[in-house]
Amino acid sequence: MTATLIIGATGLLGSEMAKASARNGDSLHVLVRAATSGNEERMRPLRELGATVHVGDLDDYDSLVRAVGKVDRVISSVHVGSASETTLVRAVRDVGVSRFVPSAGFGLDFAAAAPGTIAPLDIKRTVFDAVREADLPYTVIYTNGFFSTWVATLGDLTRFGSTPLPPDEVTLYGDGTVPATFVSEKDIAAITMRALEDPNAVRREIRIARNRITQGQMIDLWRRISGRSPRVVNMSAEELEALIAAVPGLGLLRAFWIRGETAHETDTPEAGVLYPELRFETVESAFVAMAARGKLAG
């Protein structure tokens, strides 16, 4: 039985990784912070999956070595908000594993996204450079837009977390005709598990470029499926630049809806082409589920 360590297993993506690993028949291990380990609500789903829990921190080299030393492969699904994942790279290098999936890939394809888009993306580049320099047996998976972040907000990152449904008011960036690509967290986990079983995916980058849709099309699709008609506020590219100057983290809106960087063709092989047997959740099916939950809640 293959032992797999999930780092960030209580997050939106990490929880799907943990479930997919358990379905795969892995011996599931998770690394959580001390504060999280005492939170029964957050830990219950992992215990129900039969996970072996390791308490540690990305900045604590010794705790990482202890956890990594118990497994064959490591998946990091943490949000790279700092360069601390470089400590994990060092631990993985020193212990040795059969495969390492860094969180550096869970986002934009570096071949498509311009440097300086947002600071976290440049940090991811630094982490990936460290992974390659350490000559680790990595697989990097570029996901582009997560459903939970982008589809649930109708493409308006500023609305994230404000409502369980797509918002009643949404900002349309630019002219609304620039395409972007999106994928559900469940599908990201399924692709990751498939790539881990693929010997040809060692030291390889894979991109997910399904669900190609413009923001205008996304808003219209939600209207048709839900019967709701959100108020649309237009923001020009110039106005968006002024907003990004004040809030640099919103540079992702430029990458998605002005530059179209998630839909650019690159030389990175696409997951749906590599693994045609996999089926992907669509934006339409996600909206159907959201609308149904909204009716139940109402």
Side-chain angles (χ1 to χ4, degrees):
M1 181 182 293
T2 301
T4 301
L5 174 68
I6 311 292
I7 301 175
T10 59
L12 287 170
L13 178 57
S15 62
E16 292 295 343
M17 290 289 186
K19 287 184 281 189
S21 180
R23 285 194 300 269
N24 196 51
D26 296 354
S27 172
L28 174 62
H29 293 243
V30 298
L31 179 79
V32 299
R33 293 190 178 103
T36 302
S37 68
N39 186 322
E40 180 57 28
E41 183 179 354
R42 298 185 72 184
M43 293 303 298
R44 186 182 302 113
L46 299 177
R47 298 192 192 282
E48 290 174 350
L49 291 174
T52 298
V53 178
H54 303 270
V55 177
D57 191 275
L58 278 178
D59 293 316
D60 184 344
Y61 172 81
D62 291 338
S63 71
L64 294 174
V65 166
R66 287 193 295 271
V68 172
K70 300 292 185 182
V71 301
D72 304 296
R73 53 199 192 186
V74 175
I75 302 169
S76 176
S77 59
V78 297
H79 181 272
V80 182
S82 71
S84 62
E85 199 176 16
T86 56
T87 305
L88 174 61
V89 172
R90 184 160 59 94
V92 171
R93 179 200 64 196
D94 293 347
V95 173
V97 295
S98 62
R99 195 79 66 89
F100 176 45
V101 181
S103 67
F106 297 131
L108 300 176
D109 184 343
F110 296 150
T117 294
I118 55 169
L121 185 61
D122 290 336
I123 292 171
K124 288 185 176 189
R125 292 180 195 273
T126 301
V127 171
F128 189 25
D129 287 344
V131 169
R132 286 185 288 199
E133 184 177 345
D135 195 28
L136 299 178
Y138 67 82
T139 300
V140 165
I141 299 174
Y142 298 118
T143 56
N144 295 311
F146 287 20
F147 272 22
S148 65
T149 307
W150 294 93
V151 174
T153 63
L154 302 179
D156 186 357
L157 192 61
T158 67
R159 312 287 177 173
F160 180 61
S162 62
T163 172
L165 277 175
D168 291 327
E169 180 176 289
V170 60
T171 302
L172 183 73
Y173 299 95
D175 60 9
T177 64
V178 175
T181 63
F182 304 93
V183 63
S184 73
E185 286 87 339
K186 184 177 180 179
D187 286 344
I188 295 168
I191 291 163
T192 301
M193 290 300 130
R194 178 65 182 86
L196 286 173
E197 302 299 330
D198 181 4
N200 293 321
V202 179
R203 295 183 178 84
R204 192 173 197 180
E205 299 161 63
I206 298 170
R207 68 187 175 98
I208 307 172
R210 304 277 122 175
N211 291 302
R212 183 185 174 101
I213 191 171
T214 70
Q215 192 185 15
Q217 290 169 337
M218 188 184 293
I219 295 169
D220 287 342
L221 182 61
W222 173 245
R223 285 190 181 119
R224 293 199 302 272
I225 289 173
S226 69
R228 299 162 66 99
S229 187
R231 177 172 174 264
V232 175
V233 178
N234 293 90
M235 180 177 288
S236 68
E238 293 75 20
E239 290 170 325
L240 177 57
E241 287 301 324
L243 179 62
I244 293 169
V247 187
L250 295 179
L252 277 175
L253 289 165
R254 178 206 296 126
F256 274 70
W257 299 129
I258 306 300
R259 294 179 178 171
E261 290 175 340
T262 71
H264 288 174
E265 290 297 323
T266 71
D267 291 334
T268 310
E270 205 279 320
V273 175
L274 287 175
Y275 310 123
E277 73 277 10
L278 296 181
R279 294 294 176 265
F280 294 81
E281 184 179 1
T282 65
V283 173
E284 182 174 2
S285 65
F287 279 163
V288 169
M290 290 176 193
R293 287 196 297 269
K295 288 178 182 179
L296 288 175

